[in-house]
Amino acid sequence: MSLFLTVPPNLVQSIRAFRIAELQEEAGRLGQHFLYAYCHAGLTKQQVLGIIAESFRFPKPCGKNFDALRTTLTETLFQAGAQPGFVIVLEQLPNTQKFDREARETLLDVFRDAADWWAEKKVPFRVFYSFE
């Protein structure tokens, strides 16, 4: 039975009852990419974006701003060839003075935009996140 039986193929949601190891296993079972970033050490937008870029092994420029990350998550990955789908975990998004609620929501909006973009291509793109 699929772990994602009740989970839409394109969404951004709190990790809730899911365990990271189970998400990784399910991504492997489905032949999808599993991307994971532990973001707790980031204090600023630049640091959080840098952690995500490094963790996902994305080019350094996507760690500079939200637009670059959005482009990498969509067009750059699309141009790399056929994609089987994505399971992404953003763990412990920080809550600091320089990475506040607004910055977290903007980051999650980037991933929501990417989920919508991949939905149009009929490619699963699931993002799970947690806050510190």
Side-chain angles (χ1 to χ4, degrees), residues 1 3 13 17 19 24-25 43 64 86-87 106 115 119 129:
M1 181 182 241
L3 183 66
Q13 76 169 39
R19 298 189 196 292
Q24 184 175 16
E25 184 179 308
L43 300 175
K64 301 286 185 205
F86 301 88
V87 177
T106 302
Y129 63 87

Side-chain angles (χ1 to χ4, degrees), residues 1-131:
M1 181 182 241
S2 174
L3 183 66
F4 296 145
L5 191 58
T6 60
V7 179
N10 297 81
L11 86 157
V12 176
Q13 76 169 39
S14 171
I15 200 164
R16 295 188 194 139
F18 291 104
R19 298 189 196 292
I20 294 166
E22 292 171 344
L23 293 170
Q24 184 175 16
E25 184 179 308
E26 186 68 3
R29 192 182 73 71
L30 296 172
Q32 297 179 1
H33 300 291
F34 179 77
L35 303 173
Y36 172 83
Y38 184 75
C39 302
H40 180 72
L43 300 175
T44 66
K45 176 182 92 168
Q46 289 293 115
Q47 290 173 339
V48 172
L49 289 173
I51 289 167
I52 292 169
E54 185 177 322
S55 298
F56 293 0
R57 297 187 177 136
F58 284 174
K60 284 203 186 269
C62 95
K64 301 286 185 205
N65 62 60
F66 292 126
D67 290 334
L69 177 60
R70 181 180 289 109
T71 299
T72 301
L73 288 169
T74 56
E75 296 167 19
T76 304
L77 290 175
F78 182 73
Q79 292 168 356
Q83 300 297 336
F86 301 88
V87 177
I88 297 171
V89 175
L90 303 170
E91 187 177 15
Q92 296 293 302
L93 290 171
N95 181 18
T96 66
Q97 187 173 9
K98 293 187 178 183
F99 196 79
D100 58 8
R101 182 173 190 265
E102 184 178 331
R104 285 192 315 273
E105 282 304 312
T106 302
L107 176 67
L108 293 174
D109 284 345
V110 168
F111 282 92
R112 288 181 188 107
D113 290 348
D116 292 344
W117 193 90
W118 283 106
E120 292 176 8
K121 311 279 186 263
K122 304 210 182 323
V123 174
F125 189 93
R126 294 177 178 97
V127 180
F128 301 90
Y129 63 87
S130 67
F131 299 139

